[in-house]
Amino acid sequence: MKKYILLSLALSCFVTTAQAQNTNLSDAVRQGIRQSMEQTRNANWNEAFAICRQLDALLHNDTQTSKDPHYALHYLVAKERLRMYNRIRKPESGKQQLDIMQTYAVQSKIDTLQTDYWYAKAQYHQLFGQTAQSLESYKQWFARKVSGQSTDAIEQSYRNILDQAKQEANPALASSMQILYNHWKDSIRTAKDAATLHTLKQQYSESQQSLKEKEVKISTNKILIGLLGSVAAILAVAVIFLIFSLLRFIVKNKSLRRSLELANDNNNLKSQYINHISEQVEPTLADIRTKAADATTRENIDALLTLFNDVQTYIGLEETRDEMYPTEQINVCDFCEKLMEEAKVWFKPEVESVIKVPRVFIHTNAEALGRIIRHLLKNAAAHTQTGKITVEFKKRSAHTGQFLITDTGCGIAQALRPSLFKPFKAVEDLRKGDKLGLPICSLIAYKLNGELHIDNDFKKGTRFILELHAKLQA
């Protein structure tokens, strides 16, 4: 115990001195590993492992200040532990160190470390009698070692390693490399033989083909002379047909262009006419409403005024549908909480409001987005007597998010769903709505680079999904 304490103090003094003198950290780690190896030669295993722990602490402390992860130096410490576990025959602990070495080697992105890892792994399997794994590891190590070299250089590398194994009296390495070398020579010989055979077959095939081509050419020339006249006649007819088709296309294209221009002009005139009618009628209706005595008349006039306003809104959105809204970054959670708080005035007393929105930011137009969600919440409140109305947000990718507005109300009949987003449907009672709200929301969603649709798979009420393609940020 006393010896261990003295050793720890010595290493601590060495580390402190190295740091104080601004000594290279790599030299300090290598010096510590040399001390560990010296301890193992004297069978002082506890002391050697203690040195490794102190080296880990040294690297960890330096990482805290310099922000350098020191993957290569951690690799060396793990390799020293592997050496010791191999010496004391602890395969499970050695396997753990191999896994750690692999992690550090990959993280360091240093090719020589990754090559060294495979060699260490091969020696580990070799030591514990795992011949197949050892051979595979040697194969991986050698493949990395000679990557990009020529055939002659690879063969020389095999011979150098075999000579080295004999000099070091390492029969396991010599045996493994001899197997790999024999396999490699067989594969090279097979490849050369295959290439030679392929060349001979190709030459034979080319000779046969040349003979056939000459025979075919003689008979083909005779046929071509007869066909050329027929082809010339066919080409003449084809050219005439193409010219005629082109002229027809030009005439038809001009007609279609005139029709399209006329249709666009008519649409513009319709929009202007509707806007003009609205401007003329709205003041009159407002005046009539002011003078109306009964509530029913006022409700009917309010419904007409709402209709005029929604029609103008829809036409305006339709005319500018390809003009995207300006965007800004908004906090989705705060935004949804604010909208839900505003919408509670429409909720029945027995209806609970639920928000399931993460802390995320999205780049969009807050006013346009709020208009859609308010309308969906108001519709949900109108058709939900009890239960819940929920607003959710789900991040589908870095540039796609979904707002889900769900209620547990009476739902929407399947027969009505296909026409929900189509404008100008027949309305029985304007006081109950002009059915332009969802078409307007759909157009706004389009201008937000998104899409609004109903979830047909949801059966416990109604769920609308607003999918936006915009930049998301946590």
Side-chain angles (χ1 to χ4, degrees):
M1 184 63 182
K2 181 178 180 181
K3 185 178 181 182
Y4 168 72
I5 295 173
L6 290 174
L7 178 63
S8 299
L9 289 173
L11 182 59
S12 298
C13 290
F14 170 76
V15 169
T16 304
T17 302
Q19 291 174 332
Q21 297 177 355
N22 200 22
T23 304
N24 188 290
L25 185 64
S26 175
D27 293 340
V29 171
R30 285 175 169 80
Q31 177 65 22
I33 290 174
R34 285 194 290 271
Q35 289 190 17
S36 172
M37 295 174 70
E38 181 65 27
Q39 292 299 322
T40 58
R41 277 194 287 271
N42 299 322
N44 296 325
W45 301 105
N46 291 335
E47 290 81 350
F49 280 111
I51 290 172
C52 290
R53 287 194 295 273
Q54 290 196 4
L55 291 176
D56 282 334
L58 171 64
L59 293 174
H60 175 74
N61 291 336
D62 188 78
T63 298
Q64 296 298 312
T65 57
S66 68
K67 306 304 180 183
D68 184 347
H70 299 303
Y71 295 132
L73 297 179
H74 277 297
Y75 176 89
L76 295 178
V77 177
K79 185 178 179 180
E80 170 61 10
R81 282 199 180 95
L82 172 65
R83 184 188 69 81
M84 291 191 286
Y85 283 130
N86 288 346
R87 285 279 304 275
I88 60 178
R89 296 298 189 273
K90 286 191 175 183
E92 291 299 324
S93 299
K95 179 63 172 59
Q96 293 176 0
Q97 295 306 309
L98 272 176
D99 293 339
I100 294 172
M101 288 169 63
Q102 183 182 26
T103 300
Y104 285 136
V106 172
Q107 290 176 330
S108 71
K109 300 181 180 178
I110 301 175
D111 289 339
T112 54
L113 282 189
Q114 297 182 42
T115 303
D116 182 76
Y117 159 74
W118 284 107
Y119 187 77
K121 187 174 183 180
Q123 290 184 317
Y124 166 83
H125 289 305
Q126 173 186 314
L127 177 65
F128 293 107
Q130 300 167 352
T131 306
Q133 294 94 322
S134 175
L135 182 60
E136 178 61 27
S137 297
Y138 275 125
K139 183 177 179 181
Q140 294 290 339
W141 164 69
F142 189 77
R144 295 187 67 91
K145 185 178 179 66
V146 300
S147 175
Q149 295 184 11
S150 64
T151 302
D152 293 338
I154 294 174
E155 184 168 8
Q156 187 60 46
S157 295
Y158 271 118
R159 291 176 178 176
N160 292 341
I161 295 172
L162 287 171
D163 291 341
Q164 179 185 343
K166 291 176 182 177
Q167 291 174 5
E168 296 176 354
N170 189 343
L173 174 60
S175 174
S176 298
M177 294 310 299
Q178 188 64 53
I179 292 172
L180 293 175
Y181 181 45
N182 292 339
H183 288 172
W184 178 78
K185 288 197 299 184
D186 290 343
S187 66
I188 294 296
R189 191 180 301 111
T190 301
K192 289 181 178 178
D193 293 343
T196 302
L197 178 61
H198 177 72
T199 301
L200 292 174
K201 287 183 177 180
Q202 190 174 12
Q203 291 174 350
Y204 176 77
S205 177
E206 289 174 354
S207 299
Q208 292 295 102
Q209 185 67 24
S210 178
L211 291 175
K212 290 181 180 179
E213 287 176 355
K214 289 177 180 178
E215 293 176 359
V216 171
K217 189 173 182 181
I218 295 172
S219 58
T220 301
N221 287 338
K222 295 179 181 179
I223 298 171
L224 283 176
I225 294 172
L227 291 177
L228 282 175
S230 301
V231 171
I234 293 172
L235 286 174
V237 173
V239 169
I240 294 171
F241 176 76
L242 287 174
I243 292 173
F244 177 73
S245 299
L246 181 60
L247 291 172
R248 285 188 61 191
F249 174 77
I250 292 172
V251 172
K252 189 174 182 180
N253 190 43
K254 287 182 178 179
S255 176
L256 288 173
R257 188 179 301 169
R258 286 195 297 270
S259 298
L260 181 60
E261 291 174 353
L262 181 61
N264 287 333
D265 290 342
N266 287 338
N267 282 335
N268 290 333
L269 289 172
K270 288 177 183 176
S271 298
Q272 293 174 8
Y273 179 75
I274 291 173
N275 288 332
H276 179 70
I277 290 295
S278 297
E279 291 173 357
Q280 296 294 322
V281 173
E282 285 180 2
T284 305
L285 288 174
D287 185 58
I288 295 173
R289 186 189 184 285
T290 304
K291 298 175 182 179
D294 59 296
T296 302
T297 302
R298 287 195 295 270
E299 288 180 8
N300 289 331
I301 292 173
D302 287 340
L304 284 173
L305 289 170
T306 301
L307 174 63
F308 281 125
N309 183 60
D310 288 348
V311 168
Q312 287 179 301
T313 300
Y314 183 85
I315 292 173
L317 290 170
E318 183 67 39
E319 290 176 346
T320 60
R321 65 180 294 141
D322 294 324
E323 299 175 12
M324 297 293 112
Y325 287 117
T327 63
E328 60 182 323
Q329 180 175 278
I330 64 172
N331 185 314
V332 177
C333 184
D334 293 345
F335 182 75
C336 290
E337 286 177 353
K338 180 181 177 183
L339 291 177
M340 181 63 87
E341 194 63 31
E342 293 175 0
K344 286 181 180 179
V345 297
W346 300 318
F347 290 9
K348 307 293 188 303
E350 295 80 7
V351 176
E352 177 188 358
S353 63
V354 179
I355 298 178
K356 299 179 181 178
V357 180
R359 291 288 176 183
V360 66
F361 292 88
I362 186 171
H363 287 262
T364 187
N365 186 284
E367 181 180 353
L369 176 61
R371 185 170 180 177
I372 296 174
I373 296 177
R374 283 191 192 92
H375 181 82
L376 296 176
L377 288 173
K378 189 173 184 179
N379 274 0
H383 297 90
T384 304
Q385 303 302 317
T386 59
K388 298 179 181 179
I389 296 178
T390 306
V391 174
E392 298 177 73
F393 181 83
K394 295 183 178 180
K395 183 179 179 181
R396 297 305 184 187
S397 70
H399 292 85
T400 302
Q402 288 183 338
F403 289 89
L404 291 81
I405 290 81
T406 309
D407 65 65
T408 56
C410 57
I412 300 174
Q414 289 292 335
L416 299 177
R417 295 190 175 198
S419 61
L420 281 177
F421 301 101
K422 295 179 181 179
F424 308 120
K425 300 182 293 292
V427 178
E428 295 179 1
D429 188 350
L430 278 177
R431 290 175 298 177
K432 296 180 180 180
D434 53 26
K435 298 187 179 180
L436 284 174
L438 288 176
I440 288 173
C441 289
S442 180
L443 278 177
I444 295 174
Y446 180 85
K447 287 165 69 66
L448 287 172
N449 194 23
E451 180 186 1
L452 177 63
H453 62 274
I454 190 169
D455 186 354
N456 288 314
D457 296 329
F458 187 76
K459 306 299 182 183
K460 298 179 180 179
T462 305
R463 171 177 290 162
F464 284 94
I465 300 176
L466 172 60
E467 182 171 283
L468 297 183
H469 304 288
K471 182 180 177 182
L472 299 176
Q473 224 173 315

